Amino acid sequence: IFFRLVKMSAKVELSMKQLMGMVIGLIFITMFLSSGGSSPTHAVVSKTISGTTGMLFKMKKFREFPMQELRKSNTDPNLWLDDARRCKQWAVSTTIWEPSKTLQQMARLKSWCIVVVLDKKTPVPFLVNNAVVLGVEDQKRLPYRIVRRLPWNHFGRKNIGFLYAVHHGAEVVYDLDDDNELLYPDDQQNSVPLTMRSKVLSPPPGLDLFNPYPMFGNEGGWPRGFPLDQILNKTTYAPTHVEDVTAKNNFYVHQSLADHDPDYDAIYRLTRPLPVTFARNDPVSLPPGTFCPYNAQATLHFKPAFWGMLLPITIHGRVSDIWRSYITQRLLWDIGGRIVFRKPWVVQIRNAHNYLADFDSEYDLYTKATGLVQYLKEWDSEERSLKRRLLQLCVDLYERGIFEKEDVLLMNDWLHDLSQAGYEFPLLTTIRQ
């Protein structure tokens, strides 16, 4: 508007004094309108820009979830009957790219089946030998209630693949990105190692957070989604002692670290050098009560943790798998489960990304992770089943602004679909009396 006024002044021969008077008047009118008609002297004062610092996100309840929308509806069980192949070990991926080297590698492993969920952006035909490829029309024909909830052109379409794997006999699901190549693709048995042959270490109990990267030689590194205000806290990465917890055998989620271009956040990538190679050290598991985010890029989910695979859809994909990881960890404690971080079996040759764009998409991680961890640490439930406890937690998180209503409805449908697929939810080991 200012430059238009300058041009207009040249045509009508306004003086600079007249021009500046018009500009100042325009500014005051704008301030008055933006203040809703109040005095302009109040319009320029904002809680978010006044003072010498900003505002912290707080997990305060500010809305109610409309519970009446969680209506139960039945699905014809006959729709779930098919003669597709069944496997105990399923790999699941989604992509908007041509078939990658990673997907071809997984499809060649005889002990694994793989399902790839396409999106509307994915080039077709999409040819991967020995893979189940779910195209757009294939997905529409599936009997799963979650299909109606999932937006196109979103990372969350991977949820269809998770459910397909459970529906078709999965005992373990390998959640992978299409740019995480196997380090040992010719080793049919150990390219994706299901078991751990070395001892499993654990930091002492009592920590809210623990960063395992330094224990694999990556001093100064942290996983995407780790609360920024805890990165320099030595208690989160330099334990005074570690415990051998191999005998517990309750490791339901296994995160592989990734060589070359690991799953760092944009702040790390903008300020630190790459590539990175992790040391081949013993696995690190976290005790109940201690958090660390894990991703959806090279992660094994064993059957007791299948309920925790669902990716939220009302937040960015760079946030979705991290929020999933925190939610799952909290409820793993209630069934006696743990997560474990392991030496790399993948190398990430990352698809093209703009780091500043990544920074923008990860904003919720930077501002909300601390509050979320604190809330989950203190969260408790009187519900006596895992299904009801998981749904309650999702409602509580919606009411505090972690995600939107559609994610609660999606969780409700997910739990229904898992039951229809024959999944048996683990029993709780901690129940309030």
Side-chain angles (χ1 to χ4, degrees):
I1 293 175
F2 174 77
F3 285 111
R4 288 182 180 178
L5 287 173
V6 171
K7 289 182 180 180
M8 184 180 70
S9 68
K11 293 180 180 180
V12 298
E13 297 182 351
L14 290 175
S15 68
M16 182 57 66
K17 184 176 181 180
Q18 291 173 312
L19 175 61
M20 291 308 299
M22 292 175 64
V23 172
I24 293 171
L26 178 63
I27 291 173
F28 271 85
I29 291 172
T30 303
M31 290 163 53
F32 180 78
L33 292 175
S34 66
S35 68
S38 61
S39 168
T41 58
H42 297 293
V44 296
V45 179
S46 167
K47 289 188 296 184
T48 58
I49 63 173
S50 62
T52 58
T53 187
M55 298 176 65
L56 292 176
F57 171 77
K58 295 182 179 179
M59 293 285 291
K60 289 186 176 181
K61 181 177 177 179
F62 65 92
R63 56 188 176 183
E64 291 279 346
F65 181 79
M67 298 299 290
Q68 69 275 10
E69 295 194 27
L70 296 178
R71 296 171 181 166
K72 296 182 179 179
S73 61
N74 295 321
T75 303
D76 183 354
N78 292 323
L79 296 175
W80 286 69
L81 301 176
D82 62 40
D83 56 0
R85 62 174 165 170
R86 300 178 67 82
C87 299
K88 291 184 177 181
Q89 298 175 191
W90 279 95
V92 176
S93 190
T94 187
T95 187
I96 59 172
W97 307 101
E98 300 278 355
S100 68
K101 183 178 179 180
T102 301
L103 300 181
Q104 304 285 3
Q105 288 175 335
M106 285 303 306
R108 288 195 294 268
L109 296 179
K110 296 178 181 179
S111 58
W112 286 88
C113 293
I114 180 172
V115 54
V116 184
V117 184
L118 305 190
D119 215 322
K120 287 187 174 181
K121 293 181 180 179
T122 313
V124 291
F126 191 90
L127 302 177
V128 179
N129 291 335
N130 301 319
V132 176
V133 177
L134 297 178
V136 171
E137 296 304 317
D138 299 320
Q139 296 170 48
K140 292 178 180 178
R141 289 191 291 268
L142 292 170
Y144 313 151
R145 276 172 47 170
I146 65 168
V147 172
R148 61 179 175 167
R149 302 279 182 201
L150 301 174
W152 293 104
N153 303 320
H154 192 282
F155 179 57
R157 299 208 71 79
K158 206 177 197 181
N159 293 320
I160 294 175
F162 296 145
L163 195 53
Y164 186 94
V166 176
H167 181 196
H168 292 88
E171 298 287 332
V172 59
V173 171
Y174 180 38
D175 180 4
L176 78 153
D177 253 7
D178 63 341
D179 58 1
N180 278 245
E181 299 175 8
L182 296 174
L183 284 170
Y184 313 106
D186 298 326
D187 187 338
Q188 287 286 332
Q189 298 300 318
N190 297 305
S191 53
V192 183
L194 300 181
T195 58
M196 296 177 287
R197 298 176 181 175
S198 58
K199 62 183 178 181
V200 181
L201 303 179
S202 176
L207 301 175
D208 291 349
L209 289 152
F210 188 75
N211 174 9
Y213 280 18
M215 293 188 70
F216 291 91
N218 184 208
E219 300 288 342
W222 63 90
R224 173 170 54 94
F226 198 86
L228 295 181
D229 61 344
Q230 295 299 310
I231 289 172
L232 297 181
N233 181 347
K234 289 187 177 181
T235 66
T236 67
Y237 63 88
T240 54
H241 71 278
V242 293
E243 177 188 0
D244 185 352
V245 294
T246 309
K248 292 187 180 296
N249 197 30
N250 59 349
F251 312 110
Y252 298 155
V253 178
H254 297 213
Q255 169 79 84
S256 170
L257 303 185
D259 279 342
H260 187 71
D261 194 352
D263 189 32
Y264 297 127
D265 60 27
I267 291 177
Y268 184 97
R269 287 193 167 99
L270 287 165
T271 59
R272 309 293 174 92
L274 290 169
V276 167
T277 299
F278 288 98
R280 274 38 180 176
N281 292 340
D282 292 333
V284 178
S285 181
L286 302 186
T290 301
F291 289 98
C292 181
Y294 59 84
N295 59 43
Q297 298 185 2
T299 307
L300 290 169
H301 302 259
F302 287 84
K303 198 168 187 177
F306 280 178
W307 49 268
M309 293 189 293
L310 185 71
L311 292 161
I313 57 170
T314 63
I315 49 182
H316 196 281
R318 299 287 297 167
V319 177
S320 178
D321 56 343
I322 302 304
W323 279 184
R324 174 187 76 168
S325 76
Y326 282 130
I327 294 168
T328 301
Q329 284 174 80
R330 172 59 192 85
L331 290 170
L332 278 176
W333 306 344
D334 292 354
I335 62 170
R338 288 172 173 247
I339 64 169
V340 61
F341 292 85
R342 299 174 56 184
K343 64 184 180 183
W345 65 70
V346 296
V347 54
Q348 180 168 210
I349 310 300
R350 199 172 188 234
N351 293 324
H353 280 248
N354 181 296
Y355 293 165
L356 287 176
D358 282 351
F359 177 88
D360 177 67
S361 66
E362 294 167 0
Y363 185 74
D364 274 5
L365 299 181
Y366 307 139
T367 58
K368 296 182 178 181
T370 296
L372 177 60
V373 167
Q374 292 171 348
Y375 178 78
L376 291 175
K377 177 83 173 182
E378 299 171 0
W379 184 87
D380 201 357
S381 172
E382 296 181 358
E383 296 290 353
R384 302 179 73 84
S385 74
L386 180 61
K387 285 177 66 173
R388 294 180 65 85
R389 199 168 281 194
L390 179 53
L391 190 58
Q392 179 195 342
L393 179 54
C394 287
V395 169
D396 291 342
L397 294 180
Y398 158 78
E399 292 178 342
R400 289 157 180 82
I402 290 298
F403 41 58
E404 298 305 314
K405 181 177 71 173
E406 196 65 24
D407 272 317
V408 182
L409 299 175
L410 175 65
M411 177 60 74
N412 190 50
D413 286 346
W414 166 257
L415 296 173
H416 171 273
D417 285 339
L418 284 177
S419 296
Q420 288 290 109
Y423 180 67
E424 295 184 6
F425 289 82
L427 297 177
L428 297 174
T429 58
T430 59
I431 299 178
R432 287 174 58 185
Q433 301 298 324

